[in-house]
């Protein structure tokens, strides 16, 4: 696009009021900066709207739409790479009684505090989402089976230790129940099946007394670097044998010996 | 107890017939192709053979055989049809039990799926000489459960490093969880004669060193044979025909027939 075309955008001709109001409400947006091109400004507005459409307004976490986009991408990489990926579903215990006792504003404060705590408890690469009502979800890529329960326990204990200010001179404490499931490796699966498995463990956590984490561990299988090394060194030899004729010829041409031929 | 751990014990299958699980560590190595053509080869040797889509709808058995049944395992599981109504005659002279795409919801191993699965296999065994379970790839709980129902495990692998690593990982799980002591290997898409022998030796070496370290519980990998890389395989698959029917004298078909003959002599003949 040439500069002339860029400049031909007349911002006053566009109905941006609703979009700008949305952005302003989220603490973003504003008038074009001095010297900012109309195109640059529009791009910023669009980026801001995209960002907004993926966030939960109350907690600032990923919303359900973003969660589904991430979980679908994640399943793809699990099936292709055999990566171990954990999904945690988390539900605040007796949340209804907080709303009933202290009002919805207090409930909202609790949701915000839990959201912020969750985001602090996990790595930047993890996705924390508000799944609905008082239910949250966390997707943890590259989470080895041994670490799953440790992460879930850390989250559970941190939240249980919180004192959340919901009104002047009123703090409340809450607990959460957590259910987790690893994505089936090397297998085509669906987000629904994965979520369902995590949900079932959440249900187990709820029915066995709440304030606990239940994680379904995957069938243990790991191939150590040593094992891989032995397998691959043999493979490399085998590959050399495939090319035996060619390698021998090359070795002859180079005046060397076949046994000197390096293999990766 | 979770589903995976409860599938560790091999289930008791009446010893009237042979149940062979065809499995692989990695998908896309030709597991279903091997199952279908092996079934045809065994059928042509005079056996009553049935192939069961034990990947519960994720296998491509229907596509490989060009069959699109109205009644499937799904209907048997849900009680809408009897086993006999769901069993089809496949082109190669054997029977098939297809899962149908509706089974995707069963790709989780619930207690219901376990008991239905077990009931179906138990009912099938006395009626056939050989039941081939075309399982999924990898080590999901459904795969492990299906394999646990089999008296013999046939691993399909290609010579690629990823396929071999995954095959090794799967063998490791089957040895650890199901106490398997004999596993059979077919190397598909072999590029040169003897490739499978070498690969089996490699896998055995790593297994002896890292997994089967107790000499009292040795694990034996048996190389059943190689299926050479053969352009006619692709042609048959594209035409949705069995290789044994489309190109019976192709190198891959000859290899499959030889593997069937070997299985016949070593495994099936031992049925009491």
């Amino acid at each position: 696009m040439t500069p002339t075309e860029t400049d031909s955008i007349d911002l006053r001709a566009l109905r941006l009021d609703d979009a700008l109001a949305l952005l302003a409400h989220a603490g973003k947006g504003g008038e074009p900066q001095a010297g900012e091109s109309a195109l640059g400004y529009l791009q910023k507005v669009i980026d801001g709207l995209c960002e907004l459409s993926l966030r939960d307004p109350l907690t600032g976490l990923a919303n359900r739409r973003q969660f589904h986009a991430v979980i679908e991408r994640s399943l793809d990489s699990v099936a292709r790479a055999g990566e171990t990926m954990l999904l945690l579903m988390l539900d605040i215990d007796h949340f209804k009684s907080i709303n009933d006792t202290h009002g919805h504003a207090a409930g909202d404060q609790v949701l915000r505090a839990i959201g912020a705590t969750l985001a602090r408890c996990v790595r930047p690469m993890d996705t924390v989402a508000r799944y609905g009502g008082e239910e949250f979800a966390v997707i943890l890529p590259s989470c080895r089976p041994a670490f799953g329960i440790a992460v879930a326990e850390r989250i559970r204990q941190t939240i249980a230790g919180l004192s959340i200010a919901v009104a002047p001179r009123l703090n409340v404490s809450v607990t959460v129940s957590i259910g987790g499931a690893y994505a089936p490796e090397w297998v085509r699966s669906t987000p629904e099946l994965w979520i369902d498995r995590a949900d079932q463990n959440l249900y187990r956590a709820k029915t066995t007394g709440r304030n606990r984490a239940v994680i379904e561990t995957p069938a243990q299988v790991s191939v150590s670097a040593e094992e891989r090394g032995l397998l691959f060194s043999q493979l490399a030899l085998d590959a050399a044998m495939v090319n035996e004729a060619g390698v021998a010829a090359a070795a002859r041409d180079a005046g060397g010996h076949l046994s000197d031929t390096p293999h990766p | 107890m979770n589903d995976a751990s409860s599938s560790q014990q091999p289930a008791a299958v009446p010893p009237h017939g042979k149940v062979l699980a065809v499995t692989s560590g990695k998908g896309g190595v030709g597991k279903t192709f091997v199952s279908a053509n092996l079934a045809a080869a065994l059928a042509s040797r005079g056996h009553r053979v049935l192939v069961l889509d034990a990947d519960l709808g994720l296998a491509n058995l229907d596509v490989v055989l060009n069959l699109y049944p109205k009644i499937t395992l799904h209907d048997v599981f849900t009680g809408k049809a009897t086993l006999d109504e769901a069993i089809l005659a496949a082109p190669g002279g054997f029977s098939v039990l297809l899962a149908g795409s509706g089974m995707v919801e069963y790709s989780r191993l619930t207690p219901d799926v376990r008991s239905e699965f077990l009931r179906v296999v138990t009912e099938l065994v006395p009626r056939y000489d050989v039941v081939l379970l075309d399982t999924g790839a990898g080590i999901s709980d459904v795969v492990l459960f299906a394999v646990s129902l089999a008296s013999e495990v046939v691993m399909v692998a290609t010579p690629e490093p990823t396929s071999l690593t995954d095959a090794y990982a799967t063998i490791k799980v089957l040895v650890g969880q199901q106490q398997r002591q004999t596993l059979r290997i077919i190397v598909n898409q072999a590029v040169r004669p003897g490739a499978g022998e070498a690969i089996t030796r490699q896998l055995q070496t790593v297994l002896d060193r890292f997994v089967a370290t107790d000499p009292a519980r040795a694990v034996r990998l048996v190389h059943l044979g190689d299926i050479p890389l053969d352009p006619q395989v692709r042609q048959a698959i594209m035409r949705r025909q069995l290789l044994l029917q489309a190109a019976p004298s192709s190198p891959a078909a000859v290899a499959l027939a030889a593997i069937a003959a070997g299985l016949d002599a070593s495994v099936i003949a031992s049925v009491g």
Side-chain angles (χ1 to χ4, degrees), chain A residues 184-190 193 196-197 200 204 215-224 226-228 230-232 234-235 238 241-242, chain B residues 2 25 55 58 104-105 107-108 137-140 144 159 161 164-166 168-169 172-173 177 192 198-199 202-203 205-206 209-211:
Chain A
E185 295 168 45
W186 299 305
V187 179
R188 286 164 287 171
S189 186
T190 64
L193 285 173
D196 194 35
R197 279 171 46 232
Q200 287 191 354
R204 282 189 194 119
I215 311 263
E216 172 195 305
T217 49
Q220 284 291 333
V221 62
S222 59
V223 179
S224 71
E226 248 183 309
E227 289 168 283
R228 226 177 271 261
L230 185 54
L231 201 58
F232 284 125
Q234 298 278 354
L235 279 172
D238 191 48
M241 282 160 73
V242 175
Chain B
N2 66 39
D55 201 3
L58 292 172
V104 73
E105 67 198 70
S107 46
R108 199 185 63 240
I139 50 151
S140 71
L144 290 176
L164 290 189
T165 312
D166 292 353
Y168 171 71
K172 217 173 139 175
V173 171
Q177 290 201 342
R192 65 177 177 83
I199 283 166
Q202 291 159 16
L203 286 167
T205 303
V206 188
R209 176 92 55 95
F210 292 97
V211 181

Side-chain angles (χ1 to χ4, degrees), chain B residues 169-217:
Chain B
T170 303
I171 291 168
K172 217 173 139 175
V173 171
L174 293 177
V175 169
Q177 290 201 342
Q178 302 189 356
Q179 286 79 51
R180 294 276 171 188
Q181 287 192 277
T182 304
L183 296 110
R184 295 165 208 279
I185 295 180
I186 294 174
V187 173
N188 192 19
Q189 298 168 11
V191 283
R192 65 177 177 83
E197 286 286 355
I199 283 166
T200 308
R201 265 201 312 275
Q202 291 159 16
L203 286 167
Q204 183 80 59
T205 303
V206 188
L207 206 57
D208 289 345
R209 176 92 55 95
F210 292 97
V211 181
T213 45
D214 178 3
R217 286 200 60 83

Side-chain angles (χ1 to χ4, degrees), chain A residues 158-210:
Chain A
T158 310
I159 288 173
L162 286 180
S163 174
I164 305 164
V166 294
R169 293 190 305 279
L170 179 63
N171 282 32
V172 298
S173 288
V174 293
T175 59
V176 290
S177 298
I178 303 175
Y182 280 87
E185 295 168 45
W186 299 305
V187 179
R188 286 164 287 171
S189 186
T190 64
E192 290 71 29
L193 285 173
W194 193 13
I195 295 167
D196 194 35
R197 279 171 46 232
D199 257 340
Q200 287 191 354
N201 286 327
L202 174 57
Y203 178 74
R204 282 189 194 119
K206 287 279 184 192
T207 50
T208 51
R210 297 185 173 85

Side-chain angles (χ1 to χ4, degrees), chain B residues 104-180:
Chain B
V104 73
E105 67 198 70
Y106 290 121
S107 46
R108 199 185 63 240
L109 189 67
T110 61
D112 284 351
V113 172
R114 291 171 66 92
S115 65
E116 280 301 305
F117 211 135
L118 186 59
R119 181 179 69 84
V120 164
V121 172
T122 311
E123 267 188 54
L124 289 172
V125 163
R127 297 163 60 173
Y128 294 90
D129 300 320
V130 184
V131 174
L132 285 174
L133 303 178
D134 183 21
T135 76
I139 50 151
S140 71
D141 48 9
V142 175
V143 173
L144 290 176
F145 180 68
V147 173
S148 79
L149 299 177
S151 45
E152 301 288 336
V153 180
V154 177
M155 298 279 308
V156 179
T158 65
E160 274 103 50
T162 47
S163 161
L164 290 189
T165 312
D166 292 353
Y168 171 71
T170 303
I171 291 168
K172 217 173 139 175
V173 171
L174 293 177
V175 169
Q177 290 201 342
Q178 302 189 356
Q179 286 79 51
R180 294 276 171 188

Side-chain angles (χ1 to χ4, degrees), chain B residues 51-107:
Chain B
V51 184
L52 187 148
D53 174 2
D55 201 3
L56 300 186
L58 292 172
N60 294 319
L61 198 54
D62 50 349
V63 181
V64 167
L65 296 172
N66 205 12
L67 292 171
Y68 297 94
K70 285 203 173 67
I71 298 173
T72 65
L73 199 54
H74 178 73
D75 301 302
V76 178
F77 274 29
T78 51
K80 288 186 195 130
T82 64
L83 201 49
D84 286 301
E85 290 170 319
I87 294 173
L88 296 176
F94 57 95
S95 303
V96 278
L97 193 43
L98 298 169
S101 53
M103 289 299 278
V104 73
E105 67 198 70
Y106 290 121
S107 46

